[in-house]
Amino acid sequence: MNSWFKKAWPFLTLGVAVVALLGGFFVYFMGKDVSPGSGGSVTAKIETPEDLKGYEVINVNVSNDGFEPNVIEVKSGVPTKINFILTRSVTHVKSVAAEKLGMDLYMQKGDNYYTVDQNVAPGEYELHCGMYMIYGTIKVI
């Protein structure tokens, strides 16, 4: 057995090092949100009731199954905030984007408000999660 160990010790040492390294990464990143944003994303801020005065607020539930409602109707010229409500912290839906509206919102569990530009032109704008797996529509009327 002594000769077996002399031949195998480099491989055993490498195996132990790899396990220790992966274990260290797991412990370090466990519980942290490391999902990538697009670099230009904005983290949603907490809004107070005073911040919401004068705005029409549209609530949208966000889950792994999609956006509810899937079609969000916004009135042109009316100050509007869309509240994307993320009910679970463990989900693949971490951000929501609509390129034509300039929206790239990184979400956290709870309320996530996006202020719609009042001067946006009427039309339909595609909305999707950051992974392009869930789609919806913002309809400006």
Side-chain angles (χ1 to χ4, degrees), residues 39-52:
S41 63
V42 176
T43 301
K45 64 177 188 145
I46 298 172
E47 301 276 347
T48 63
E50 291 81 29
D51 295 332
L52 299 175

Side-chain angles (χ1 to χ4, degrees), residues 29-89:
F29 290 113
M30 188 171 66
K32 292 186 178 185
D33 186 3
V34 293
S35 58
S38 66
S41 63
V42 176
T43 301
K45 64 177 188 145
I46 298 172
E47 301 276 347
T48 63
E50 291 81 29
D51 295 332
L52 299 175
K53 284 186 181 176
Y55 286 94
E56 179 180 344
V57 177
I58 301 170
N59 292 318
V60 178
N61 291 316
V62 180
S63 70
N64 287 336
D65 298 327
F67 304 110
E68 182 60 41
N70 194 31
V71 177
I72 304 162
E73 289 192 2
V74 176
K75 296 174 189 153
S76 181
V78 176
T80 305
K81 288 189 185 249
I82 302 174
N83 180 16
F84 294 98
I85 304 168
L86 192 60
T87 57
R88 297 177 48 191
S89 58

